[in-house]
Amino acid sequence: MARKLLVLNWKMNPETLREAQALFLGARRALRGTSSVGLVVCPPTVFLSSLGKGRDGDVVLGAQDVFWEIEGAHTGSISPYMLRDVGVRSVIVGHSERRALGESDATVSRKVRATLAAKLIPIVCVGEHVRDEKGDYLGFLAHQITESLKGVGRTNAKNIIIAYEPLWAIGKTYQAAVDPHSLHEITLFIRKILAKSFGRSAAMQVKILYGGSVEPENAEPLLHGTGVAGFLVGHASLDMQKLKAIIRSIA
Ligand code: PGA
């Protein structure tokens, strides 16, 4: 069976490098003895270089964002090659909290292409703000996926991870998360949209993750029969007891 994937999005936490090192070590320890789960840890950018030195084969280092240019006059930006150089292998692109600051689908697609060009794996976040009875949110999602992946070639599709993160489910508790039945419907829908851009066989190879209030209580039911390869975990990834319980429940 394929390894389950947990992407840990620490967001703007913790405050100090010392705490970040402890969290990183905690995540590695939580994984110990489990071969059926893979971890991608995404700390704030400032900690990447230091944590990159302590990484091993079990834990992949990820970034929370990236810029699309390789180098040059772009104050405050970080290129995918810089991330690669300090040990990063995956990058979250288009998280809703970045999109809320003005990031458009066009920007996301530039970042996705730059990430792929640097041989890093983009974890592309998509998701509707609300669900309406008429199902207009599906149209929103289809458009967001297609535009965010614009310009990505068919051969590169298998190197992309899609994280379905409905905004209404983020940062709450497990009761507020999507239910397994609608998650399954969404993963089928996402593959249908991907197939339009990349063809059916490439679409089948894309890993889809779910994110939004994944906790020990809902991880297992959300994994089985829903078509997801794993989860993008926010707040629960900062709590070692919760992280351990999530890993145990899906291992
Ligand atoms: P959450 O965050 O698990 O705290 O809901 C998920 C995310 O925003 O990536």
Side-chain angles (χ1 to χ4, degrees), residues 9 11 95-97 165 169-172 211-214 232-236:
N9 180 12
K11 308 193 178 185
H95 191 280
S96 59
E97 286 151 16
E165 297 212 305
I170 291 179
K172 301 194 172 139
S213 300
V214 173
L232 206 160
V233 185
H235 64 273

Side-chain angles (χ1 to χ4, degrees), residues 18-84:
R18 189 187 282 256
E19 290 168 282
Q21 284 164 334
L23 270 179
F24 194 68
L25 196 66
R28 278 175 60 183
R29 287 209 180 110
L31 195 64
R32 223 171 255 169
T34 318
S35 57
S36 59
V37 180
L39 281 191
V40 180
V41 182
C42 305
T45 315
V46 284
F47 303 139
L48 285 171
S49 174
S50 167
L51 298 180
K53 295 190 186 100
R55 112 199 103 91
D56 60 17
D58 300 340
V59 177
V60 172
L61 197 61
Q64 297 176 12
D65 191 25
V66 66
F67 193 60
W68 58 78
E69 294 287 356
I70 295 173
E71 60 181 10
H74 306 287
T75 304
S77 298
I78 311 280
S79 89
Y81 293 90
M82 294 171 182
L83 293 176
R84 216 192 134 71

